[in-house]
Amino acid sequence: MKRIAVVNDLSGLGRCSLSAALPVLSVMGLECCPLPTAVLSNQTGYDSFSCCDLTDGMGAYLAEWKKRGVRFDGFLTGYLASVRQVQHIEALLDGFQTPQSIFVCDPVMADDGRVYDTYDDALCRAAMRLARRANVITPNLSELCLLCGAAYDALAACAQDGDFSKPAALARSLLSERLHTVVVTGLRHGGEISCVLVTKTGETVVTGRCYGGSYSGTGDLFSAALTGELVRGTDAETAVRRTVRFLEASIADSFRAGTDRNDGVDFQTHLEMVL
């Protein structure tokens, strides 16, 4: 059975981070090996939460993995809480990554043209450094602009008109010998939402219907399902199309049911789509 190391927090409520990745990757027939960065009572979108930061224990955790000679077929990282956590992730990659393994990085830093309050300049630089080590990244438009040093407003206006040529060009500028795939996510235009897939061989736009506003955990679900597909050997375009359909069905059900956005999306009843 193939193994994927997933570095993220564990939230008791909110269907995000590890509580999203664990069921998705397990249903896909993959072993999800969590490296928890923190344990939260619920995701931070609620009006209050409790948090136990596990950063101090990450080094010993990795040392135990190292003693057992474990190897991973994939790595997945998402939200980062500190530069120290990035350093532990870099140690994970230094100690366990092989030429055959796939590293998918969701460079979580910003949305709607605004850097998250918990990200200072040092953490943004560390997140961008980590993204450059990845084989696949899944930035939203705001994060793509940060990675490329581009202005957000003009790019967002083009995307809202359904013109994805400029985001695609920026994504292509990030490609390197190591980073071979960029998926720009969450491009809203009219009643639709699109992803732009850019690889060394071309670009593809994958579009789905847009239901309501944003929901907690959809980025975590997207990156988990995409990583699982890629580790199973699915080509990038098929992987993105399958992942978009899975998210679209889950969000549609949540919208019809009136699910609170903080509770995440009702993905459990659609897990057969990623079998």
Side-chain angles (χ1 to χ4, degrees), residues 145-161:
C145 290
L146 287 173
L147 288 166
C148 297
Y152 173 79
D153 291 341
L155 211 62
C158 290
Q160 287 167 4
D161 291 335

Side-chain angles (χ1 to χ4, degrees), residues 7 49 57 106 246 248 262 273:
V7 187
F49 62 93
D106 184 4
F246 168 56
E248 183 181 32
N262 284 322
M273 295 179 70

